[in-house]
Structure formats: structure tokens, C-alpha cells
């Protein structure tokens, strides 16, 4: 029997779409199908969508890659990957079998036009116009190959820019999308020669996370929250994305990226945009993306001298994380022993608009920190110095609201309360909403949502060209500020700590401090 609360919850569910997105039958073509991403993320995500009945019928997946293998070899390889990496390791063997019959392999190299002809024949052999012409090209390749693949798809008429047939071809592009503003613009230019902007879906997997999507719902569906989401009530905002691992086997990639390009340019600025944007005029993709771009454009530019004061970088030295010893970044595989690449960044920035004038935002991210977590912490102002505040002074905590994006997803409000008893004693108490206890353990992978949205042609959760370019301009200004200066002693932090000491200084100068995420 249902409880009163359960009945009420059901009555109150507001469904904005009629359940699922409509996705027309289509073929997903994965370029770079032998790579890690395909086995770890893409195929498990597609399988879960299939299992839930969210994929269209019919659908096909073609892996396009250079290595010689048959459909059977590829399916077997993907099954092994699925067993190792997927969120539901216990698969239903019959379901997998059914699903895997839709997986095909096209052996070819990206620069060989004959390979694309072979792909075309394969698509035709499916004997269904929709599978032939509704195409989602997933570019899981090195960015240096994006332009070539797109051009060859155009030359072989697999990708049509002007679409008058009622079918759609779309490109999904993985990060890194450029290494600076100039290269991002060149890449944009190369892709838009053969595809409209509306056909390009630039991935930032953080936007596929439930909790990140919930930022907008939380802000714009709650009067209480949005009324206080501004400089009148808020002292400052902290965004932390910490990781408890080093670069592992990705030293080669990381040497060209560093934390600023790997994390800040995309994930942290996206979280910032959703946290700080104005309400969109309507719940439409372009209206939402317009507001994100607007707020990113309002970030106050920094001169190189200001970068010196407002941005701290760091690199991990040897240390211990969760009791296990970790090598220094400079001793990692495929890393220059004298590398100056940052594995940690902390930034103080200002958003020059009406809502946020005078409210500092602090962003930080780093590898090999004590704990992996992503959080947005809204730190409210102190109460006026009367009554309890007058008596308690700094012992009376200011209120804060923490959006825990991962793990142990939830939202916690810190308020002050009276400790029960005859004497008057106050201390902070917590009000916590936890996703798990409210909705049960529901953990779809970000890629499931993103693939489905791309198949349905909804660009809300993808990065638009102008958004990308503003983010790169900001990141470039920081890199210019750093210049070629080598890492100094105080920029190193032992693995297993919350970053170099100057990162604390960034807040301490104004009597603030970082709140480090901890297990809930
Ligand atoms: C990726 C970065 O985009 O995000 C990685 O390239 C990082 O360096 C990863 O580890 C973090 O993602 P998540 O989902 O584990 O927080």
C-alpha cells in the first residue's frame, strides 16, 4: 500500500517531456572504434539505452577504425570491455546477444576515401533508408583527425550540409576541442565548411551528469533559492572538482594539456555558467545556451599581472593518497622529468554583471588530492552583528549550501541551531537531501544521456561554438599570464593534499577559506 507521501509525490510529478525523447531509426558510426572510449563508455552506454528500450528500432552501430578485424572479433572485444567497465557488470546474455547483432565493423583508415565508400555500401546493405541516411558520426579520434574525417564524409556524400531530404546527419565531437582559441576557431571553421553548427554536438561529459542538470532545476524551480541567489545574500561561491588519482597512463596527453585546459576550460566553466547564468527566456536549447554564453562573457578579463595574483597553479610531488604512495608528476610515465605542466589550478574571478557584482567566485581542480568530489558551495553572508551574532562573533557560522555533484550526490544546507538543553548553546546543523535516499540508487552514465540527446537532435547539453570560444579566450589569458615561467618551490604540493599553499592564500587574504569536500 502506498503511503500518503508517496501518493502526493506521484500527483506532484511535473513531466516536461512525455517521458522519452523520440529518436528516429539511425546508425551511429564511431570513428576511432578501437580506442578506449568506445569500449569503456560508448558501447556500455548504448547497451544500457537498448536494455531500457530507449534506442530506436531499428538501429545500427558501425565501428570505423584501422585495425583488421571482423564483426565477430569486434563484438567479442566489446563484450570483454563491457564486462570490465560497465556500470551493470551482470548483463543478461540474451539481451547482449540481441544488442550485439546490431554492431558492425568497417576496417579502413581515416584518410582513405575507399574506406568511406565501403562504409556507404555497408549502410546501404542494411536495406533501410533511415539507417542509411539518419547518421550520427561520433568522432572519438584524435582532434587532428576531425577535419579530415569530416571532409571525407562530405566528399562521399555521407554528410550533407543542406538537408532537404528530411534525414539528418550529425557530428559528435569529443574533447579536447582545440588547444587554444586560435586552434578551436580553426577546428570550428574546418567543421562548419561541411556541417551546419546545428549539426555539430561538442561533448562535455559533465553536462550529461544528473546533478549538473539539476543545477538549473534547483535554481529556477525554487522561489526561495533563486530569491537568494545573488549578491544581496551571497558572500562568495566555491567550485571544487578534485580527483584522487594522478595522471596514470595519460602522461603523454596530459603533458600537452595540463589541468587548465583539461578541466577548467570545459567542466569547471560549464559548472560556473550553470551556477551563475540568468534565467533563460524559455526552456529551449538556444535560450539556455545564450544565457550561458552571456555569463561567461561577463567574467572580468585578467591582465598578466592580475593572473599572478588571482590564479594559482600547482604540480603534485610524491606523496600518499588513501594510504597508497604516489609518484611525483615528474616521475610519471611519458612525462618530462623537468615538466612545468600544472596538475592543479585555483582561480579567483569576478563576474561583472548586476547579479554578481562584488561576489568573488573561487574555482579549483587538481589531481592526486585526498578525495574525489565535485561540489558547488554557496557561502552566504554573515548575519548582522546583533542578537546571537553579536554574542557569538566568529563562532556563529555563516549559512552555506553545498551542491554535491559527485559522489554521494545531494544538497546540504548548513544552518545554525540550538543544542538541546537548559543552556543556550548554538552550533551549525545540516539539512541534507541525498539522491540515493530520495530516488534510490539511480546512476546512469553521462554518456547515456548525451548519446540519446544527440540522436534526438537536442543540443541543450552540448557546447555551442561561441560558448567554446569565450571559454578558450579566458583560459588563454591565464596561460599568457603564466608565460614560460618554471614551477617555483611553493607551487608543488605533495600528492594527497589539497593543493599548494598559495591556493589557500587566495582566500585567506580576505578572511575566507576553502571548504574541502569530505565523505558525507
Ligand atoms: C576528463 C579529463 O574530461 O574528466 C580527465 O580529461 C578527468 O583528466 C575526467 O579525470 C574527470 O571526469 P569525472 O567524470 O571522473 O569527474
Amino acid at each position: 500500500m502506498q503511503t500518503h507521501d508517496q501518493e502526493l509525490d506521484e500527483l506532484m510529478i511535473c513531466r516536461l517531456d512525455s517521458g522519452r525523447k523520440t529518436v528516429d531509426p539511425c546508425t551511429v558510426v564511431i570513428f576511432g572504434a578501437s580506442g578506449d572510449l568506445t569500449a569503456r563508455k560508448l558501447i556500455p552506454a548504448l547497451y544500457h539505452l537498448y536494455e531500457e528500450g530507449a534506442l530506436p528500432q531499428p538501429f545500427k552501430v558501425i565501428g570505423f577504425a584501422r585495425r583488421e578485424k571482423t564483426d565477430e572479433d569486434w563484438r567479442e572485444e566489446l563484450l570483454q570491455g563491457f564486462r570490465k567497465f560497465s556500470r551493470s557488470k551482470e548483463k543478461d546474455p540474451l539481451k547482449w546477444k540481441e544488442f550485439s547483432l546490431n554492431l558492425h565493423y568497417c576496417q579502413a583508415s581515416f584518410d582513405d576515401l575507399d574506406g568511406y565508400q565501403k562504409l556507404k555500401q555497408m549502410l546501404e546493405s542494411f536495406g533501410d533508408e533511415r539507417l542509411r541516411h539518419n547518421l550520427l558520426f561520433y568522432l572519438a579520434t584524435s582532434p587532428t583527425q576531425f577535419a579530415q574525417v569530416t571532409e571525407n564524409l562530405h566528399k562521399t556524400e555521407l554528410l550533407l550540409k543542406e538537408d532537404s531530404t528530411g534525414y539528418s546527419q550529425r557530428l559528435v565531437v569529443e574533447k579536447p576541442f582545440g588547444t587554444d582559441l586560435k586552434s578551436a576557431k580553426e577546428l570550428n571553421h574546418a567543421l562548419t565548411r561541411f556541417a551546419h553548427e546545428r549539426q555539430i554536438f561538442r561533448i562535455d561529459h559533465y553536462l550529461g551528469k544528473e546533478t549538473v542538470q539539476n543545477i538549473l532545476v534547483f535554481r529556477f524551480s525554487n522561489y526561495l533559492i533563486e530569491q537568494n541567489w545573488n549578491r544581496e545574500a551571497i558572500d562568495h561561491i566555491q567550485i571544487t572538482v578534485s580527483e584522487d588519482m594522478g595522471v596514470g597512463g595519460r602522461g603523454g596527453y596530459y603533458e600537452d594539456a595540463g589541468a587548465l585546459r583539461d578541466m577548467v576550460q570545459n567542466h569547471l566553466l560549464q559548472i560556473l555558467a550553470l551556477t551563475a547564468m540568468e534565467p533563460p527566456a524559455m526552456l529551449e536549447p538556444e535560450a539556455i545556451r545564450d544565457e550561458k554564453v552571456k555569463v561567461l562573457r561577463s567574467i572580468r578579463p585578467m591582465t598578466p599581472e592580475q593572473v599572478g595574483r588571482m590564479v594559482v597553479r600547482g604540480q603534485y610531488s610524491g606523496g600518499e593518497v588513501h594510504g597508497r604512495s604516489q609518484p611525483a608528476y615528474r616521475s610519471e610515465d611519458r612525462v618530462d622529468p623537468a615538466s612545468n605542466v600544472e596538475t592543479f589550478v585555483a582561480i579567483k574571478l569576478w563576474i561583472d554583471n548586476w547579479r554578481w557584482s562584488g561576489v568573488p567566485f573561487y574555482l579549483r581542480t587538481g589531481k592526486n588530492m585526498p578525495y574525489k568530489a565535485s561540489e558547488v558551495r554557496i557561502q552566504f553572508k554573515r548575519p548582522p552583528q546583533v542578537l546571537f551574532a553579536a554574542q557569538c562573533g566568529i563562532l556563529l557560522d555563516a549559512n552555506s549550501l553545498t551542491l554535491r555533484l559527485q559522489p554521494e550526490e545531494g544538497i546540504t544546507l548548513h544552518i545554525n541551531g540550538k543544542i538541546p538543553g537548559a543552556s543556550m548553546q548554538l552550533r551549525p546543523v545540516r539539512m541534507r537531501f541525498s539522491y540515493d535516499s530520495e530516488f534510490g540508487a539511480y546512476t546512469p552514465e553521462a554518456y547515456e544521456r548525451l548519446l540519446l540527446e544527440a540522436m534526438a537532435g537536442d543540443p541543450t547539453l552540448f557546447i555551442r561554438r561561441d560558448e567554446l570560444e569565450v571559454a578558450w579566450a579566458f583560459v588563454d589569458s591565464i596561460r599568457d599570464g603564466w608565460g614560460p615561467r618554471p614551477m617555483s618551490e611553493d607551487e608543488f604540493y605533495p600528492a594527497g593534499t589539497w593543493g599548494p599553499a598559495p591556493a589557500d592564500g587566495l582566500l585567506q587574504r580576505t578572511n575566507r577559506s576553502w571548504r574541502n569536500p569530505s565523505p558525507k
Side-chain angles (χ1 to χ4, degrees), residues 155-392:
K155 281 187 178 153
T156 44
E157 295 183 341
L158 285 159
L159 171 65
L160 301 179
K161 190 171 183 181
E162 298 302 338
D163 182 22
S164 53
T165 57
Y167 296 115
S168 61
Q169 293 95 45
R170 302 186 181 115
L171 292 167
V172 180
V173 196
E174 266 296 332
K175 76 177 254 267
F177 199 92
T179 51
D180 54 13
L181 179 59
K182 183 167 170 287
S183 58
K185 278 187 165 170
E186 283 164 5
L187 212 47
N188 278 329
H189 177 69
L191 298 193
T192 47
R193 278 174 67 204
F194 307 116
H196 288 294
E197 173 62 23
R198 64 169 182 274
Q199 291 173 277
I200 303 172
F201 291 71
R202 299 177 192 83
I203 289 239
D204 181 321
H205 79 278
Y206 266 57
L207 294 183
K209 293 181 193 267
E210 270 300 327
T211 47
V212 174
Q213 290 162 32
N214 191 46
I215 297 176
L216 288 195
V217 176
F218 182 63
R219 288 189 52 200
F220 300 133
S221 68
N222 294 304
Y223 188 79
L224 176 74
I225 300 300
E226 191 49 24
Q227 274 302 299
N228 289 299
W229 207 265
N230 54 46
R231 68 195 164 95
E232 302 303 332
I234 295 176
D235 176 75
H236 73 276
I237 294 184
Q238 301 184 8
I239 299 178
T240 298
V241 176
S242 59
E243 297 190 86
D244 57 359
M245 282 167 37
V247 294
R250 295 170 77 223
Y253 155 77
Y254 206 81
E255 277 286 273
D256 288 327
L260 187 65
R261 292 191 273 202
D262 185 45
M263 297 294 286
V264 177
Q265 188 275 336
N266 36 72
H267 310 326
L268 275 93
L269 288 183
Q270 284 300 314
I271 298 173
L272 172 73
L274 294 169
T275 305
M277 69 187 251
E278 291 300 316
M282 55 198 135
L283 290 174
E284 295 295 330
E286 296 322 325
I288 295 174
R289 300 202 295 179
D290 286 348
E291 292 305 333
K292 283 167 64 193
V293 176
K294 247 166 68 185
V295 77
L296 292 176
R297 285 216 174 101
S298 309
I299 298 177
R300 187 182 301 169
M302 289 188 222
T303 61
E305 188 271 326
Q306 286 164 333
V307 168
R309 278 186 291 118
M310 314 254 287
V311 183
V312 173
R313 64 175 185 180
Q315 189 189 88
Y316 60 83
S317 48
E320 259 192 23
V321 183
H322 302 309
R324 296 227 313 269
S325 82
Q326 299 295 330
Y329 176 70
R330 288 182 173 181
S331 316
E332 299 272 19
D333 196 21
R334 284 180 293 151
V335 169
D336 177 355
S339 175
N340 274 320
V341 169
E342 77 289 351
T343 60
F344 173 95
V345 190
I347 304 171
K348 175 179 183 180
L349 61 84
W350 301 97
I351 294 180
D352 283 334
N353 65 15
W354 195 275
R355 182 189 290 259
W356 296 118
S357 177
V359 179
F361 284 73
Y362 298 95
L363 276 52
R364 69 175 163 168
T365 182
K367 299 264 184 212
N368 258 340
M369 301 184 83
Y371 180 61
K372 177 177 168 76
S374 302
E375 268 188 14
V376 178
R377 184 178 174 104
I378 313 295
Q379 189 68 51
F380 291 100
K381 290 189 169 165
R382 298 196 157 275
Q385 289 302 302
V386 290
L387 306 177
F388 300 112
Q391 293 192 37
C392 299

Side-chain angles (χ1 to χ4, degrees), residues 25-27 123-124 126-135 167 169:
C26 63
T27 303
L123 289 166
E124 271 154 14
F126 297 149
D128 185 318
E129 288 293 293
R130 298 165 304 172
L131 295 177
R132 159 67 186 86
H133 296 288
N134 280 336
L135 304 170
Y167 296 115
Q169 293 95 45

Side-chain angles (χ1 to χ4, degrees), residues 16-23 41-50 52 54-55 87 136 138 170 172 174 201-217 274 283 285 288 435 442-462:
L16 296 188
D17 46 33
S18 47
R20 241 161 224 154
K21 298 256 167 196
T22 22
V23 183
K41 300 281 183 195
L42 302 182
I43 295 296
L46 286 166
Y47 173 77
H48 289 129
L49 290 172
Y50 177 75
E52 287 158 22
L55 285 190
R87 68 176 162 90
L136 188 76
Y138 200 112
R170 302 186 181 115
V172 180
E174 266 296 332
F201 291 71
R202 299 177 192 83
I203 289 239
D204 181 321
H205 79 278
Y206 266 57
L207 294 183
K209 293 181 193 267
E210 270 300 327
T211 47
V212 174
Q213 290 162 32
N214 191 46
I215 297 176
L216 288 195
V217 176
L274 294 169
L283 290 174
I288 295 174
Y435 275 75
Y442 169 75
T443 47
E445 285 265 352
Y447 277 94
E448 293 171 32
R449 180 74 196 268
L450 294 175
L451 277 163
L452 198 60
E453 298 290 317
M455 281 190 251
D458 186 331
T460 315
L461 302 180
F462 298 85

Side-chain angles (χ1 to χ4, degrees), residues 14 31 36-37 78 103 116 148 218 229-230 249 261 265 278 331 348 365 380 392 400 421 437 444 474 477 493 507 520:
C14 160
F31 287 88
D36 231 27
L37 185 76
L78 295 176
L103 308 176
Y116 295 75
Q148 183 178 56
F218 182 63
W229 207 265
N230 54 46
R261 292 191 273 202
Q265 188 275 336
E278 291 300 316
S331 316
K348 175 179 183 180
T365 182
F380 291 100
C392 299
S400 66
S437 44
F474 175 68
S477 71
Y493 61 100
L507 282 83
K520 295 286 168 202

